[in-house]
PDB file of all heavy atoms in Angstrom:
ATOM      1  N   PHE A   1     138.971 103.239 123.255  1.00 96.00           N
ATOM      2  CA  PHE A   1     137.735 102.771 122.558  1.00 96.00           C
ATOM      3  C   PHE A   1     136.491 102.927 123.412  1.00 96.00           C
ATOM      4  O   PHE A   1     136.482 102.724 124.636  1.00 96.00           O
ATOM      5  CB  PHE A   1     137.883 101.322 122.087  1.00 96.00           C
ATOM      6  CG  PHE A   1     139.032 101.092 121.170  1.00 96.00           C
ATOM      7  CD1 PHE A   1     140.149 100.407 121.641  1.00 96.00           C
ATOM      8  CD2 PHE A   1     139.064 101.642 119.938  1.00 96.00           C
ATOM      9  CE1 PHE A   1     141.227 100.152 120.848  1.00 96.00           C
ATOM     10  CE2 PHE A   1     140.195 101.509 119.116  1.00 96.00           C
ATOM     11  CZ  PHE A   1     141.186 100.747 119.586  1.00 96.00           C
ATOM     12  N   LYS A   2     135.366 103.234 122.726  1.00 96.00           N
ATOM     13  CA  LYS A   2     134.039 103.362 123.351  1.00 96.00           C
ATOM     14  C   LYS A   2     133.161 102.610 122.488  1.00 96.00           C
ATOM     15  O   LYS A   2     133.162 102.707 121.256  1.00 96.00           O
ATOM     16  CB  LYS A   2     133.613 104.785 123.485  1.00 96.00           C
ATOM     17  CG  LYS A   2     134.400 105.586 124.436  1.00 96.00           C
ATOM     18  CD  LYS A   2     133.879 107.034 124.490  1.00 96.00           C
ATOM     19  CE  LYS A   2     134.777 107.815 125.441  1.00 96.00           C
ATOM     20  NZ  LYS A   2     134.358 109.293 125.477  1.00 96.00           N
ATOM     21  N   VAL A   3     132.151 101.846 123.077  1.00 97.00           N
ATOM     22  CA  VAL A   3     131.101 101.105 122.291  1.00 97.00           C
ATOM     23  C   VAL A   3     130.323 102.145 121.431  1.00 97.00           C
ATOM     24  O   VAL A   3     129.967 103.159 121.934  1.00 97.00           O
ATOM     25  CB  VAL A   3     130.278 100.251 123.214  1.00 97.00           C
ATOM     26  CG1 VAL A   3     129.144  99.668 122.445  1.00 97.00           C
ATOM     27  CG2 VAL A   3     131.121  99.233 123.920  1.00 97.00           C
ATOM     28  N   ASP A   4     130.032 101.802 120.232  1.00 97.00           N
ATOM     29  CA  ASP A   4     129.305 102.576 119.269  1.00 97.00           C
ATOM     30  C   ASP A   4     130.109 103.678 118.583  1.00 97.00           C
ATOM     31  O   ASP A   4     129.640 104.279 117.640  1.00 97.00           O
ATOM     32  CB  ASP A   4     128.031 103.199 119.848  1.00 97.00           C
ATOM     33  CG  ASP A   4     126.970 102.197 120.171  1.00 97.00           C
ATOM     34  OD1 ASP A   4     126.929 101.068 119.509  1.00 97.00           O
ATOM     35  OD2 ASP A   4     126.172 102.321 121.121  1.00 97.00           O
ATOM     36  N   ALA A   5     131.324 103.950 119.004  1.00 96.00           N
ATOM     37  CA  ALA A   5     132.201 104.910 118.337  1.00 96.00           C
ATOM     38  C   ALA A   5     132.835 104.291 117.138  1.00 96.00           C
ATOM     39  O   ALA A   5     132.887 103.076 117.049  1.00 96.00           O
ATOM     40  CB  ALA A   5     133.220 105.496 119.339  1.00 96.00           C
ATOM     41  N   HIS A   6     133.217 105.213 116.256  1.00 95.00           N
ATOM     42  CA  HIS A   6     133.904 104.779 114.937  1.00 95.00           C
ATOM     43  C   HIS A   6     135.383 105.068 115.017  1.00 95.00           C
ATOM     44  O   HIS A   6     135.775 106.160 115.467  1.00 95.00           O
ATOM     45  CB  HIS A   6     133.219 105.492 113.732  1.00 95.00           C
ATOM     46  CG  HIS A   6     131.795 105.011 113.566  1.00 95.00           C
ATOM     47  ND1 HIS A   6     130.739 105.541 114.232  1.00 95.00           N
ATOM     48  CD2 HIS A   6     131.331 104.052 112.747  1.00 95.00           C
ATOM     49  CE1 HIS A   6     129.666 104.887 113.815  1.00 95.00           C
ATOM     50  NE2 HIS A   6     129.932 103.995 112.927  1.00 95.00           N
ATOM     51  N   TYR A   7     136.127 104.172 114.457  1.00 94.00           N
ATOM     52  CA  TYR A   7     137.654 104.307 114.418  1.00 94.00           C
ATOM     53  C   TYR A   7     138.060 103.740 113.039  1.00 94.00           C
ATOM     54  O   TYR A   7     137.242 103.359 112.266  1.00 94.00           O
ATOM     55  CB  TYR A   7     138.307 103.472 115.472  1.00 94.00           C
ATOM     56  CG  TYR A   7     137.805 103.902 116.883  1.00 94.00           C
ATOM     57  CD1 TYR A   7     136.705 103.310 117.487  1.00 94.00           C
ATOM     58  CD2 TYR A   7     138.474 104.843 117.567  1.00 94.00           C
ATOM     59  CE1 TYR A   7     136.261 103.620 118.673  1.00 94.00           C
ATOM     60  CE2 TYR A   7     138.033 105.276 118.887  1.00 94.00           C
ATOM     61  CZ  TYR A   7     136.944 104.707 119.372  1.00 94.00           C
ATOM     62  OH  TYR A   7     136.489 105.053 120.677  1.00 94.00           O
ATOM     63  N   HIS A   8     139.359 103.824 112.791  1.00 92.00           N
ATOM     64  CA  HIS A   8     139.946 103.282 111.550  1.00 92.00           C
ATOM     65  C   HIS A   8     141.140 102.442 111.924  1.00 92.00           C
ATOM     66  O   HIS A   8     141.811 102.726 112.903  1.00 92.00           O
ATOM     67  CB  HIS A   8     140.527 104.451 110.710  1.00 92.00           C
ATOM     68  CG  HIS A   8     139.457 105.263 110.092  1.00 92.00           C
ATOM     69  ND1 HIS A   8     138.853 106.364 110.788  1.00 92.00           N
ATOM     70  CD2 HIS A   8     138.901 105.283 108.895  1.00 92.00           C
ATOM     71  CE1 HIS A   8     138.008 106.908 109.996  1.00 92.00           C
ATOM     72  NE2 HIS A   8     137.990 106.302 108.820  1.00 92.00           N
ATOM     73  N   ASN A   9     141.337 101.375 111.089  1.00 93.00           N
ATOM     74  CA  ASN A   9     142.574 100.648 111.143  1.00 93.00           C
ATOM     75  C   ASN A   9     143.083 100.481 109.666  1.00 93.00           C
ATOM     76  O   ASN A   9     142.401 101.073 108.783  1.00 93.00           O
ATOM     77  CB  ASN A   9     142.581  99.310 111.896  1.00 93.00           C
ATOM     78  CG  ASN A   9     141.534  98.338 111.349  1.00 93.00           C
ATOM     79  OD1 ASN A   9     141.203  98.439 110.157  1.00 93.00           O
ATOM     80  ND2 ASN A   9     141.073  97.429 112.130  1.00 93.00           N
ATOM     81  N   ARG A  10     144.033  99.674 109.464  1.00 92.00           N
ATOM     82  CA  ARG A  10     144.526  99.603 108.070  1.00 92.00           C
ATOM     83  C   ARG A  10     143.511  98.888 107.116  1.00 92.00           C
ATOM     84  O   ARG A  10     143.742  98.951 105.893  1.00 92.00           O
ATOM     85  CB  ARG A  10     145.866  98.907 108.128  1.00 92.00           C
ATOM     86  CG  ARG A  10     146.930  99.776 108.645  1.00 92.00           C
ATOM     87  CD  ARG A  10     148.262  99.137 108.883  1.00 92.00           C
ATOM     88  NE  ARG A  10     149.283 100.058 109.322  1.00 92.00           N
ATOM     89  CZ  ARG A  10     149.369 100.726 110.441  1.00 92.00           C
ATOM     90  NH1 ARG A  10     148.373 100.645 111.302  1.00 92.00           N
ATOM     91  NH2 ARG A  10     150.318 101.577 110.718  1.00 92.00           N
ATOM     92  N   ASP A  11     142.536  98.184 107.635  1.00 95.00           N
ATOM     93  CA  ASP A  11     141.497  97.561 106.892  1.00 95.00           C
ATOM     94  C   ASP A  11     140.355  98.509 106.584  1.00 95.00           C
ATOM     95  O   ASP A  11     139.400  98.219 105.840  1.00 95.00           O
ATOM     96  CB  ASP A  11     140.976  96.310 107.493  1.00 95.00           C
ATOM     97  CG  ASP A  11     142.005  95.188 107.478  1.00 95.00           C
ATOM     98  OD1 ASP A  11     142.817  95.164 106.624  1.00 95.00           O
ATOM     99  OD2 ASP A  11     141.966  94.336 108.409  1.00 95.00           O
ATOM    100  N   GLY A  12     140.314  99.704 107.176  1.00 95.00           N
ATOM    101  CA  GLY A  12     139.234 100.643 106.964  1.00 95.00           C
ATOM    102  C   GLY A  12     138.467 101.086 108.216  1.00 95.00           C
ATOM    103  O   GLY A  12     138.892 100.838 109.347  1.00 95.00           O
ATOM    104  N   ALA A  13     137.392 101.848 108.063  1.00 95.00           N
ATOM    105  CA  ALA A  13     136.639 102.308 109.132  1.00 95.00           C
ATOM    106  C   ALA A  13     135.775 101.218 109.772  1.00 95.00           C
ATOM    107  O   ALA A  13     135.328 100.300 109.097  1.00 95.00           O
ATOM    108  CB  ALA A  13     135.690 103.377 108.613  1.00 95.00           C
ATOM    109  N   TYR A  14     135.647 101.316 111.099  1.00 97.00           N
ATOM    110  CA  TYR A  14     134.865 100.332 111.812  1.00 97.00           C
ATOM    111  C   TYR A  14     134.161 100.907 113.015  1.00 97.00           C
ATOM    112  O   TYR A  14     134.535 102.015 113.408  1.00 97.00           O
ATOM    113  CB  TYR A  14     135.677  99.119 112.261  1.00 97.00           C
ATOM    114  CG  TYR A  14     136.758  99.451 113.305  1.00 97.00           C
ATOM    115  CD1 TYR A  14     136.515  99.471 114.606  1.00 97.00           C
ATOM    116  CD2 TYR A  14     138.095  99.719 112.877  1.00 97.00           C
ATOM    117  CE1 TYR A  14     137.526  99.793 115.566  1.00 97.00           C
ATOM    118  CE2 TYR A  14     139.143 100.004 113.753  1.00 97.00           C
ATOM    119  CZ  TYR A  14     138.805  99.989 115.101  1.00 97.00           C
ATOM    120  OH  TYR A  14     139.781 100.326 115.980  1.00 97.00           O
ATOM    121  N   GLN A  15     133.137 100.255 113.474  1.00 97.00           N
ATOM    122  CA  GLN A  15     132.413 100.687 114.716  1.00 97.00           C
ATOM    123  C   GLN A  15     132.698  99.665 115.730  1.00 97.00           C
ATOM    124  O   GLN A  15     132.648  98.412 115.479  1.00 97.00           O
ATOM    125  CB  GLN A  15     130.842 100.724 114.378  1.00 97.00           C
ATOM    126  CG  GLN A  15     130.055 101.123 115.555  1.00 97.00           C
ATOM    127  CD  GLN A  15     128.609 101.135 115.239  1.00 97.00           C
ATOM    128  OE1 GLN A  15     128.155 100.624 114.207  1.00 97.00           O
ATOM    129  NE2 GLN A  15     127.772 101.675 116.124  1.00 97.00           N
ATOM    130  N   VAL A  16     132.915 100.057 116.965  1.00 98.00           N
ATOM    131  CA  VAL A  16     133.103  99.194 118.095  1.00 98.00           C
ATOM    132  C   VAL A  16     131.683  98.640 118.541  1.00 98.00           C
ATOM    133  O   VAL A  16     130.771  99.450 118.863  1.00 98.00           O
ATOM    134  CB  VAL A  16     133.740  99.888 119.258  1.00 98.00           C
ATOM    135  CG1 VAL A  16     133.799  98.872 120.479  1.00 98.00           C
ATOM    136  CG2 VAL A  16     135.169 100.291 118.894  1.00 98.00           C
ATOM    137  N   ILE A  17     131.448  97.339 118.408  1.00 98.00           N
ATOM    138  CA  ILE A  17     130.151  96.706 118.779  1.00 98.00           C
ATOM    139  C   ILE A  17     130.119  96.349 120.275  1.00 98.00           C
ATOM    140  O   ILE A  17     129.116  96.563 120.896  1.00 98.00           O
ATOM    141  CB  ILE A  17     129.912  95.466 117.918  1.00 98.00           C
ATOM    142  CG1 ILE A  17     129.978  95.833 116.375  1.00 98.00           C
ATOM    143  CG2 ILE A  17     128.660  94.819 118.256  1.00 98.00           C
ATOM    144  CD1 ILE A  17     129.016  96.913 116.058  1.00 98.00           C
ATOM    145  N   SER A  18     131.260  95.786 120.742  1.00 98.00           N
ATOM    146  CA  SER A  18     131.264  95.418 122.168  1.00 98.00           C
ATOM    147  C   SER A  18     132.714  95.378 122.658  1.00 98.00           C
ATOM    148  O   SER A  18     133.615  95.194 121.848  1.00 98.00           O
ATOM    149  CB  SER A  18     130.604  94.051 122.368  1.00 98.00           C
ATOM    150  OG  SER A  18     131.327  93.051 121.737  1.00 98.00           O
ATOM    151  N   ILE A  19     132.871  95.569 123.971  1.00 97.00           N
ATOM    152  CA  ILE A  19     134.150  95.478 124.635  1.00 97.00           C
ATOM    153  C   ILE A  19     134.021  94.485 125.752  1.00 97.00           C
ATOM    154  O   ILE A  19     133.153  94.768 126.655  1.00 97.00           O
ATOM    155  CB  ILE A  19     134.617  96.826 125.077  1.00 97.00           C
ATOM    156  CG1 ILE A  19     134.872  97.737 123.892  1.00 97.00           C
ATOM    157  CG2 ILE A  19     135.855  96.657 125.936  1.00 97.00           C
ATOM    158  CD1 ILE A  19     135.266  99.158 124.223  1.00 97.00           C
ATOM    159  N   ASP A  20     134.776  93.470 125.761  1.00 96.00           N
ATOM    160  CA  ASP A  20     134.841  92.454 126.857  1.00 96.00           C
ATOM    161  C   ASP A  20     136.277  92.060 126.999  1.00 96.00           C
ATOM    162  O   ASP A  20     136.779  91.170 126.396  1.00 96.00           O
ATOM    163  CB  ASP A  20     133.994  91.217 126.444  1.00 96.00           C
ATOM    164  CG  ASP A  20     133.815  90.230 127.649  1.00 96.00           C
ATOM    165  OD1 ASP A  20     134.085  90.663 128.768  1.00 96.00           O
ATOM    166  OD2 ASP A  20     133.426  89.065 127.373  1.00 96.00           O
ATOM    167  N   GLU A  21     136.951  92.875 127.837  1.00 94.00           N
ATOM    168  CA  GLU A  21     138.360  92.729 127.948  1.00 94.00           C
ATOM    169  C   GLU A  21     138.873  91.328 128.161  1.00 94.00           C
ATOM    170  O   GLU A  21     138.187  90.619 128.875  1.00 94.00           O
ATOM    171  CB  GLU A  21     138.866  93.715 129.021  1.00 94.00           C
ATOM    172  CG  GLU A  21     138.632  95.094 128.678  1.00 94.00           C
ATOM    173  CD  GLU A  21     139.425  96.137 129.448  1.00 94.00           C
ATOM    174  OE1 GLU A  21     140.589  95.801 129.811  1.00 94.00           O
ATOM    175  OE2 GLU A  21     138.947  97.231 129.596  1.00 94.00           O
ATOM    176  N   PRO A  22     139.902  90.890 127.413  1.00 96.00           N
ATOM    177  CA  PRO A  22     140.770  91.688 126.627  1.00 96.00           C
ATOM    178  C   PRO A  22     140.383  91.834 125.126  1.00 96.00           C
ATOM    179  O   PRO A  22     141.181  92.371 124.412  1.00 96.00           O
ATOM    180  CB  PRO A  22     142.145  90.876 126.739  1.00 96.00           C
ATOM    181  CG  PRO A  22     141.675  89.450 126.748  1.00 96.00           C
ATOM    182  CD  PRO A  22     140.335  89.465 127.519  1.00 96.00           C
ATOM    183  N   ASN A  23     139.258  91.440 124.775  1.00 97.00           N
ATOM    184  CA  ASN A  23     138.777  91.503 123.431  1.00 97.00           C
ATOM    185  C   ASN A  23     137.746  92.587 123.127  1.00 97.00           C
ATOM    186  O   ASN A  23     137.089  93.006 124.060  1.00 97.00           O
ATOM    187  CB  ASN A  23     138.189  90.084 122.961  1.00 97.00           C
ATOM    188  CG  ASN A  23     139.243  89.048 123.022  1.00 97.00           C
ATOM    189  OD1 ASN A  23     140.392  89.197 122.604  1.00 97.00           O
ATOM    190  ND2 ASN A  23     138.861  87.889 123.577  1.00 97.00           N
ATOM    191  N   MET A  24     137.624  92.893 121.850  1.00 98.00           N
ATOM    192  CA  MET A  24     136.509  93.707 121.377  1.00 98.00           C
ATOM    193  C   MET A  24     136.014  93.258 120.080  1.00 98.00           C
ATOM    194  O   MET A  24     136.731  92.536 119.388  1.00 98.00           O
ATOM    195  CB  MET A  24     137.051  95.200 121.207  1.00 98.00           C
ATOM    196  CG  MET A  24     138.176  95.361 120.137  1.00 98.00           C
ATOM    197  SD  MET A  24     139.005  96.879 120.198  1.00 98.00           S
ATOM    198  CE  MET A  24     137.750  97.950 119.492  1.00 98.00           C
ATOM    199  N   VAL A  25     134.778  93.495 119.806  1.00 98.00           N
ATOM    200  CA  VAL A  25     134.158  93.096 118.516  1.00 98.00           C
ATOM    201  C   VAL A  25     133.930  94.368 117.764  1.00 98.00           C
ATOM    202  O   VAL A  25     133.403  95.375 118.177  1.00 98.00           O
ATOM    203  CB  VAL A  25     132.801  92.360 118.717  1.00 98.00           C
ATOM    204  CG1 VAL A  25     132.222  92.083 117.355  1.00 98.00           C
ATOM    205  CG2 VAL A  25     133.077  91.074 119.515  1.00 98.00           C
ATOM    206  N   ILE A  26     134.451  94.379 116.479  1.00 98.00           N
ATOM    207  CA  ILE A  26     134.261  95.532 115.605  1.00 98.00           C
ATOM    208  C   ILE A  26     133.568  95.133 114.330  1.00 98.00           C
ATOM    209  O   ILE A  26     133.564  93.994 113.925  1.00 98.00           O
ATOM    210  CB  ILE A  26     135.686  96.163 115.302  1.00 98.00           C
ATOM    211  CG1 ILE A  26     136.620  95.190 114.518  1.00 98.00           C
ATOM    212  CG2 ILE A  26     136.290  96.627 116.580  1.00 98.00           C
ATOM    213  CD1 ILE A  26     137.989  95.749 114.202  1.00 98.00           C
ATOM    214  N   ARG A  27     132.870  96.124 113.673  1.00 98.00           N
ATOM    215  CA  ARG A  27     132.126  95.840 112.415  1.00 98.00           C
ATOM    216  C   ARG A  27     132.537  96.894 111.424  1.00 98.00           C
ATOM    217  O   ARG A  27     132.508  98.136 111.678  1.00 98.00           O
ATOM    218  CB  ARG A  27     130.636  95.900 112.680  1.00 98.00           C
ATOM    219  CG  ARG A  27     129.861  95.660 111.330  1.00 98.00           C
ATOM    220  CD  ARG A  27     128.428  95.556 111.458  1.00 98.00           C
ATOM    221  NE  ARG A  27     127.790  96.525 112.342  1.00 98.00           N
ATOM    222  CZ  ARG A  27     127.022  96.152 113.329  1.00 98.00           C
ATOM    223  NH1 ARG A  27     126.638  94.975 113.546  1.00 98.00           N
ATOM    224  NH2 ARG A  27     126.509  97.117 114.118  1.00 98.00           N
ATOM    225  N   TYR A  28     133.073  96.483 110.355  1.00 98.00           N
ATOM    226  CA  TYR A  28     133.538  97.298 109.279  1.00 98.00           C
ATOM    227  C   TYR A  28     132.338  97.802 108.496  1.00 98.00           C
ATOM    228  O   TYR A  28     131.191  97.277 108.591  1.00 98.00           O
ATOM    229  CB  TYR A  28     134.520  96.555 108.353  1.00 98.00           C
ATOM    230  CG  TYR A  28     135.827  96.244 109.001  1.00 98.00           C
ATOM    231  CD1 TYR A  28     136.036  95.065 109.580  1.00 98.00           C
ATOM    232  CD2 TYR A  28     136.807  97.254 109.079  1.00 98.00           C
ATOM    233  CE1 TYR A  28     137.268  94.742 110.226  1.00 98.00           C
ATOM    234  CE2 TYR A  28     138.083  96.944 109.663  1.00 98.00           C
ATOM    235  CZ  TYR A  28     138.258  95.730 110.225  1.00 98.00           C
ATOM    236  OH  TYR A  28     139.476  95.491 110.810  1.00 98.00           O
ATOM    237  N   GLN A  29     132.548  98.800 107.681  1.00 96.00           N
ATOM    238  CA  GLN A  29     131.460  99.364 106.900  1.00 96.00           C
ATOM    239  C   GLN A  29     130.798  98.427 105.912  1.00 96.00           C
ATOM    240  O   GLN A  29     129.612  98.572 105.638  1.00 96.00           O
ATOM    241  CB  GLN A  29     131.973 100.596 106.121  1.00 96.00           C
ATOM    242  CG  GLN A  29     132.232 101.820 106.983  1.00 96.00           C
ATOM    243  CD  GLN A  29     132.788 103.010 106.264  1.00 96.00           C
ATOM    244  OE1 GLN A  29     133.352 102.872 105.196  1.00 96.00           O
ATOM    245  NE2 GLN A  29     132.621 104.171 106.878  1.00 96.00           N
ATOM    246  N   ASN A  30     131.543  97.436 105.530  1.00 97.00           N
ATOM    247  CA  ASN A  30     130.969  96.437 104.579  1.00 97.00           C
ATOM    248  C   ASN A  30     130.202  95.286 105.290  1.00 97.00           C
ATOM    249  O   ASN A  30     129.697  94.410 104.688  1.00 97.00           O
ATOM    250  CB  ASN A  30     132.122  95.814 103.695  1.00 97.00           C
ATOM    251  CG  ASN A  30     133.091  94.942 104.493  1.00 97.00           C
ATOM    252  OD1 ASN A  30     132.911  94.785 105.708  1.00 97.00           O
ATOM    253  ND2 ASN A  30     134.128  94.426 103.843  1.00 97.00           N
ATOM    254  N   GLY A  31     130.123  95.379 106.637  1.00 97.00           N
ATOM    255  CA  GLY A  31     129.250  94.487 107.428  1.00 97.00           C
ATOM    256  C   GLY A  31     130.102  93.348 108.051  1.00 97.00           C
ATOM    257  O   GLY A  31     129.558  92.613 108.866  1.00 97.00           O
ATOM    258  N   ARG A  32     131.324  93.221 107.686  1.00 98.00           N
ATOM    259  CA  ARG A  32     132.207  92.128 108.219  1.00 98.00           C
ATOM    260  C   ARG A  32     132.505  92.451 109.662  1.00 98.00           C
ATOM    261  O   ARG A  32     132.750  93.617 110.034  1.00 98.00           O
ATOM    262  CB  ARG A  32     133.519  92.128 107.468  1.00 98.00           C
ATOM    263  CG  ARG A  32     134.451  91.032 107.972  1.00 98.00           C
ATOM    264  CD  ARG A  32     135.678  90.935 107.106  1.00 98.00           C
ATOM    265  NE  ARG A  32     136.554  92.126 107.203  1.00 98.00           N
ATOM    266  CZ  ARG A  32     137.802  92.087 107.841  1.00 98.00           C
ATOM    267  NH1 ARG A  32     138.228  90.983 108.334  1.00 98.00           N
ATOM    268  NH2 ARG A  32     138.469  93.245 107.810  1.00 98.00           N
ATOM    269  N   THR A  33     132.340  91.487 110.538  1.00 98.00           N
ATOM    270  CA  THR A  33     132.656  91.668 111.936  1.00 98.00           C
ATOM    271  C   THR A  33     133.952  90.853 112.309  1.00 98.00           C
ATOM    272  O   THR A  33     134.288  89.919 111.620  1.00 98.00           O
ATOM    273  CB  THR A  33     131.561  91.120 112.902  1.00 98.00           C
ATOM    274  OG1 THR A  33     131.286  89.805 112.632  1.00 98.00           O
ATOM    275  CG2 THR A  33     130.287  92.006 112.665  1.00 98.00           C
ATOM    276  N   LEU A  34     134.624  91.383 113.293  1.00 97.00           N
ATOM    277  CA  LEU A  34     135.883  90.718 113.730  1.00 97.00           C
ATOM    278  C   LEU A  34     136.036  90.850 115.254  1.00 97.00           C
ATOM    279  O   LEU A  34     135.760  91.980 115.819  1.00 97.00           O
ATOM    280  CB  LEU A  34     137.023  91.504 113.045  1.00 97.00           C
ATOM    281  CG  LEU A  34     138.396  91.119 113.487  1.00 97.00           C
ATOM    282  CD1 LEU A  34     138.771  89.788 112.934  1.00 97.00           C
ATOM    283  CD2 LEU A  34     139.416  92.201 112.908  1.00 97.00           C
ATOM    284  N   GLU A  35     136.467  89.830 115.871  1.00 98.00           N
ATOM    285  CA  GLU A  35     136.865  89.890 117.308  1.00 98.00           C
ATOM    286  C   GLU A  35     138.364  89.999 117.361  1.00 98.00           C
ATOM    287  O   GLU A  35     139.083  89.230 116.732  1.00 98.00           O
ATOM    288  CB  GLU A  35     136.384  88.614 118.010  1.00 98.00           C
ATOM    289  CG  GLU A  35     136.717  88.731 119.518  1.00 98.00           C
ATOM    290  CD  GLU A  35     136.098  87.622 120.370  1.00 98.00           C
ATOM    291  OE1 GLU A  35     135.310  86.877 119.757  1.00 98.00           O
ATOM    292  OE2 GLU A  35     136.381  87.483 121.494  1.00 98.00           O
ATOM    293  N   SER A  36     138.820  90.977 118.120  1.00 97.00           N
ATOM    294  CA  SER A  36     140.238  91.288 118.155  1.00 97.00           C
ATOM    295  C   SER A  36     140.681  91.722 119.496  1.00 97.00           C
ATOM    296  O   SER A  36     139.833  92.136 120.368  1.00 97.00           O
ATOM    297  CB  SER A  36     140.496  92.491 117.173  1.00 97.00           C
ATOM    298  OG  SER A  36     141.915  92.830 117.150  1.00 97.00           O
ATOM    299  N   LEU A  37     141.926  91.544 119.799  1.00 97.00           N
ATOM    300  CA  LEU A  37     142.516  91.952 121.063  1.00 97.00           C
ATOM    301  C   LEU A  37     142.407  93.495 121.101  1.00 97.00           C
ATOM    302  O   LEU A  37     142.839  94.200 120.127  1.00 97.00           O
ATOM    303  CB  LEU A  37     143.956  91.534 121.244  1.00 97.00           C
ATOM    304  CG  LEU A  37     144.117  90.072 121.548  1.00 97.00           C
ATOM    305  CD1 LEU A  37     145.652  89.689 121.494  1.00 97.00           C
ATOM    306  CD2 LEU A  37     143.574  89.723 122.884  1.00 97.00           C
ATOM    307  N   ILE A  38     141.975  94.042 122.199  1.00 96.00           N
ATOM    308  CA  ILE A  38     141.913  95.523 122.414  1.00 96.00           C
ATOM    309  C   ILE A  38     143.292  96.123 122.278  1.00 96.00           C
ATOM    310  O   ILE A  38     143.485  97.109 121.551  1.00 96.00           O
ATOM    311  CB  ILE A  38     141.276  95.896 123.773  1.00 96.00           C
ATOM    312  CG1 ILE A  38     139.837  95.355 123.786  1.00 96.00           C
ATOM    313  CG2 ILE A  38     141.412  97.381 124.021  1.00 96.00           C
ATOM    314  CD1 ILE A  38     139.281  95.478 125.134  1.00 96.00           C
ATOM    315  N   ALA A  39     144.303  95.507 122.833  1.00 95.00           N
ATOM    316  CA  ALA A  39     145.608  95.992 122.784  1.00 95.00           C
ATOM    317  C   ALA A  39     146.208  96.117 121.356  1.00 95.00           C
ATOM    318  O   ALA A  39     146.883  97.067 120.991  1.00 95.00           O
ATOM    319  CB  ALA A  39     146.619  95.086 123.619  1.00 95.00           C
ATOM    320  N   LEU A  40     145.859  95.153 120.536  1.00 96.00           N
ATOM    321  CA  LEU A  40     146.278  95.193 119.184  1.00 96.00           C
ATOM    322  C   LEU A  40     145.637  96.327 118.429  1.00 96.00           C
ATOM    323  O   LEU A  40     146.307  97.139 117.714  1.00 96.00           O
ATOM    324  CB  LEU A  40     145.943  93.870 118.408  1.00 96.00           C
ATOM    325  CG  LEU A  40     146.182  93.821 116.956  1.00 96.00           C
ATOM    326  CD1 LEU A  40     147.672  93.989 116.661  1.00 96.00           C
ATOM    327  CD2 LEU A  40     145.621  92.541 116.331  1.00 96.00           C
ATOM    328  N   GLN A  41     144.318  96.508 118.540  1.00 96.00           N
ATOM    329  CA  GLN A  41     143.625  97.571 117.870  1.00 96.00           C
ATOM    330  C   GLN A  41     144.122  99.014 118.454  1.00 96.00           C
ATOM    331  O   GLN A  41     144.189  99.908 117.658  1.00 96.00           O
ATOM    332  CB  GLN A  41     142.114  97.470 117.959  1.00 96.00           C
ATOM    333  CG  GLN A  41     141.570  96.280 117.174  1.00 96.00           C
ATOM    334  CD  GLN A  41     141.882  96.345 115.732  1.00 96.00           C
ATOM    335  OE1 GLN A  41     141.815  97.363 115.100  1.00 96.00           O
ATOM    336  NE2 GLN A  41     142.221  95.143 115.196  1.00 96.00           N
ATOM    337  N   ALA A  42     144.412  99.068 119.732  1.00 94.00           N
ATOM    338  CA  ALA A  42     144.887 100.306 120.250  1.00 94.00           C
ATOM    339  C   ALA A  42     146.228 100.676 119.747  1.00 94.00           C
ATOM    340  O   ALA A  42     146.464 101.853 119.394  1.00 94.00           O
ATOM    341  CB  ALA A  42     144.914 100.205 121.810  1.00 94.00           C
TER     342      ALA A  42
END
């Protein structure tokens, strides 16, 4: 992952907003944000 890059998971496309290991914050196209473990998203 890289901040500002776009990826997909099973909930849809998202943009990486921030990375602060071991967590990352992602924002889906509908505007919903989520803090998740980097290892899980990877």
Side-chain angles (χ1 to χ4, degrees):
F1 303 112
K2 295 180 183 175
V3 173
D4 291 331
H6 291 84
Y7 302 88
H8 291 82
N9 62 21
R10 287 171 175 68
D11 289 333
Y14 64 86
Q15 179 182 14
V16 176
I17 302 304
S18 66
I19 296 175
D20 186 17
E21 295 198 31
N23 297 317
M24 62 192 288
V25 176
I26 61 179
R27 181 174 40 231
Y28 291 97
Q29 290 179 336
N30 66 4
R32 180 175 70 109
T33 60
L34 173 72
E35 183 172 351
S36 178
L37 288 171
I38 295 169
L40 173 63
Q41 292 302 320

